[in-house]
Amino acid sequence: MPHSSLPVPSDWGVFTRATTVLTDGDTLVHDWFTVDGEPELMLRATDSAEATALLPALGAFFADRAAWHRRATDAVVTRFGEGDPEPTELDDAADDLVLATVEVLPGREVVLHLDDSCGQHFPDGYWPAVRFDESGAVVDVTVEA
């Protein structure tokens, strides 16, 4: 089965349709396009036209990556902390919660998946995810496994 790929800025890598080869040799084709890297990039789409329509949202993220990351880590501290966070708590979270995956959903929502680099904030196997609407405003903070 051929892999679909998308034309994107060269520093983003090459988006290909995500697949998994099963032990019996069958190949599962997933409903997203991906680029492995740091961070991993994901476009939730079933065809290249849908995925291409999501690229502007990814471009908005890359235009101000540091600010998106900081808004995400601040949102995690605010959501799971007690009371108003201290500036040092926000700074520590910005250092400790590293960006693992940028996922763009239909509707151009962006989800930043963060890894707890020091293992002191979330149990092993769990990570915070921060969902932004199309305008870049935080709309939800969850913990995923």
Side-chain angles (χ1 to χ4, degrees):
M1 168 179 290
H3 296 287
S4 300
S5 62
L6 301 174
V8 296
S10 61
D11 58 335
W12 292 6
V14 176
F15 278 94
T16 57
R17 187 71 181 267
T19 60
T20 301
V21 178
L22 303 175
T23 56
D24 66 2
D26 287 342
T27 300
L28 293 177
V29 179
H30 300 291
D31 291 343
W32 64 85
F33 287 74
T34 188
V35 173
D36 289 331
E38 292 184 23
E40 177 184 23
L41 307 176
M42 294 177 66
L43 302 172
R44 289 281 179 177
T46 57
D47 64 48
S48 41
E50 290 174 0
T52 299
L54 301 178
L55 291 174
L58 191 58
F61 163 79
F62 275 110
D64 200 1
R65 179 179 172 164
W68 283 75
H69 180 251
R70 183 57 188 242
R71 287 195 319 271
T73 59
D74 286 359
V76 170
V77 172
T78 301
R79 168 70 172 84
F80 297 112
E82 295 180 14
D84 290 332
E86 295 294 324
T88 55
E89 289 178 277
L90 298 173
D91 292 343
D92 288 347
D95 290 338
D96 295 344
L97 300 176
V98 297
L99 184 59
T101 304
V102 179
E103 179 180 13
V104 182
L105 305 172
R108 295 187 181 177
E109 290 181 315
V110 175
V111 180
L112 301 185
H113 299 266
L114 306 165
D115 280 342
D116 179 3
S117 67
C118 64
Q120 295 180 4
H121 305 285
F122 292 90
D124 190 36
Y126 294 84
W127 65 90
V130 181
R131 183 181 296 235
F132 296 85
D133 66 15
E134 187 175 359
S135 73
V138 173
V139 293
D140 198 13
V141 180
T142 58
V143 175
E144 300 186 359

